[in-house]
Each structure stands twice: as structure tokens, then as C-alpha cells.
Amino acid sequence: MGKVKSKPFNTNVQIWAMRSRYPNFKAKRKSEFEIEFTGELNVKPELPTYTVSIAYRGSSSPMVKVISPELVPDPPHFYKESKSLCLYHPENFKWVKEKLIANEIVAWTAAWIYFYEVWLQTGIWYGPEASHNAIKTQI
């Protein structure tokens, strides 16, 4: 028996999954392995509708940006350099290219928006958090 060849991941699967679950999101191919999804999320009727961009980048972590409304300066759980949302800690969740943006990233983006809106009103981030400081133990 010969070796089983692994098939390259088909980005059409990402587009199909997004169209199925979030038909209001538009897909734009940036390259063979990159897709930018843009759409609106309204997490509660009384909160503003957010326009977001989610970049699928193959094996690299997706990059999520808020297009509108403009975020306040220096919000929590936000990467200043890339102006993108911090949705998970890399030690708690490992992104691989076969995972679907539609299954995890969109829902986490909606949750981030909800917790951001609550933070604007209360000054407290009620969403889940992971420490970004490495704790060193001495033996």
C-alpha cells in the first residue's frame, strides 16, 4: 500500500461555511490561502451594529478588526499594533487552517463586542480572560 497523500485545504470550505451560517458576510479572496470576510454583527437590539472584518489566513491566527463604530482608544483585549481583537489566548486555543471561521471566530467576535459594550458602561470587563503574564516557578 502506498502512502496517503494529504490534500491541501480548500478555502472554498471556509466561504461555504460562512455563507451558510452568516449570509450577510461577504467574502473577498486576498490570495490562494487568504480570505477577508466583512459583515455586520448586532449582538443585542439596544446595542449598535458593528461592521467587522475577519481575515482567514490559513494556518496563521485569524485577524479580526472592527471597522465601525470606532473603538475607544486602548480598549481591553486588543492588539494595538495590528488594531485587531484578542479573542483567545494562544495557549488555550490552537488555531489550525481546517478550523472554520464560522464555527468559532464569529461567535467569539460577537461575544467580544458584547463585553466591550458592557465595559464601556461599567468599566468592568466581564468576559473570560487569560493572564498574559508568564508565571515562573522555581524548584
Side-chain angles (χ1 to χ4, degrees):
M1 293 193 144
K3 285 185 179 179
V4 176
K5 274 189 169 179
S6 67
K7 235 165 68 170
F9 182 73
N10 187 342
T11 53
N12 289 330
V13 173
Q14 290 288 345
I15 294 170
W16 176 85
M18 282 295 283
R19 283 190 181 142
S20 296
R21 283 188 81 174
Y22 302 98
N24 63 317
F25 272 75
K26 304 294 179 222
K28 180 179 179 183
R29 287 187 183 275
K30 298 292 214 171
S31 73
E32 186 181 356
F33 299 107
E34 288 188 53
I35 307 162
E36 180 180 31
F37 296 102
T38 306
E40 294 183 339
L41 291 173
N42 184 263
V43 297
K44 277 185 93 176
E46 61 271 19
L47 296 177
T49 296
Y50 279 70
T51 302
V52 299
S53 132
I54 303 171
Y56 170 80
R57 307 178 312 153
S59 293
S60 296
S61 292
M63 187 173 295
V64 181
K65 296 183 177 185
V66 171
I67 298 169
S68 69
E70 187 175 339
L71 300 175
V72 300
D74 202 24
H77 305 285
F78 186 78
Y79 296 110
K80 287 182 193 177
E81 319 77 53
S82 62
K83 297 184 179 357
S84 62
L85 309 185
C86 177
L87 301 178
Y88 58 89
H89 194 286
E91 289 181 14
N92 297 337
F93 177 80
K94 300 288 184 213
W95 177 261
V96 293
K97 67 182 184 284
E98 293 82 10
K99 290 185 187 257
L100 298 174
I101 297 287
N103 284 356
E104 286 144 26
I105 302 303
V106 178
W108 292 351
T109 302
W112 188 98
I113 290 168
Y114 174 78
F115 292 122
Y116 170 77
E117 283 289 330
V118 171
W119 173 78
L120 287 175
Q121 295 171 18
T122 66
I124 301 169
W125 186 270
Y126 287 101
E129 295 184 273
S131 173
H132 288 91
N133 300 326
I135 299 171
K136 295 183 180 181
T137 56
Q138 293 181 339
I139 299 176

